[in-house]
Amino acid sequence: MKTKRVLVTEKAAAVIAELKEKHGELMFHQSGGCCDGSAPMCFEKGDLMLDDNDVCLGNIEGCDFHMSRDQYEYWKHTQLTLDVTPGIGSSFSLEIPMGIRFIIKSRLYTEKEAEHLEPIRIGA
């Protein structure tokens, strides 16, 4: 079994479901320092232009999760978990009007997990 690179908590999954109802298909991008620092941002699918400088880590709740290659080099040794917390971030992410924001929790892979990582995808 392949080790997932990105996971989602139940609370974050519920928020994603609510946002999908309102906005349709979604996508995530781990910001590289703009606005909220390194914050996960949620957009309507296609609203953020991706190119060969972006890496898709996987899919959560039917939404691709991307980050820039530079960020990927920094985070590639960790499994990311998308969660939510109360408070308003300063980004353009779709959850902001709900009075919450997405956050990332991370942990290093075990040696065994690192041997069986799901493949990444470059670009859109």
Side-chain angles (χ1 to χ4, degrees), residues 3 14 24 27 29 39 51 55 71 103:
T3 304
M27 63 186 286
H29 194 276
D51 59 26
V55 175
Q71 285 286 314
I103 59 170

Side-chain angles (χ1 to χ4, degrees), residues 29-33 38 51-55 57 66-77 120 122:
H29 194 276
Q30 176 75 19
S31 171
S38 292
D51 59 26
D52 289 344
N53 289 314
D54 294 294
V55 175
L57 300 179
H66 303 267
M67 69 173 48
S68 70
R69 278 193 196 208
D70 291 345
Q71 285 286 314
Y72 173 71
E73 287 303 314
Y74 181 78
W75 292 91
K76 68 182 177 182
H77 306 290
I120 61 169
I122 304 298

Side-chain angles (χ1 to χ4, degrees), residues 23-76:
H23 298 282
E25 289 186 85
L26 304 174
M27 63 186 286
F28 284 88
H29 194 276
Q30 176 75 19
S31 171
C34 174
C35 303
D36 275 337
S38 292
M41 301 199 318
C42 180
F43 301 99
E44 290 183 20
K45 187 174 182 177
D47 272 2
L48 182 68
M49 301 306 292
L50 301 170
D51 59 26
D52 289 344
N53 289 314
D54 294 294
V55 175
C56 182
L57 300 179
N59 189 285
I60 52 171
E61 301 300 309
C63 310
D64 285 342
F65 190 99
H66 303 267
M67 69 173 48
S68 70
R69 278 193 196 208
D70 291 345
Q71 285 286 314
Y72 173 71
E73 287 303 314
Y74 181 78
W75 292 91
K76 68 182 177 182

Side-chain angles (χ1 to χ4, degrees), residues 100-112:
I100 57 175
R101 58 191 171 103
F102 287 112
I103 59 170
I104 286 291
K105 297 176 180 178
S106 65
R107 70 167 183 86
L108 292 174
Y109 295 114
T110 65
E111 231 176 89
K112 187 170 183 140

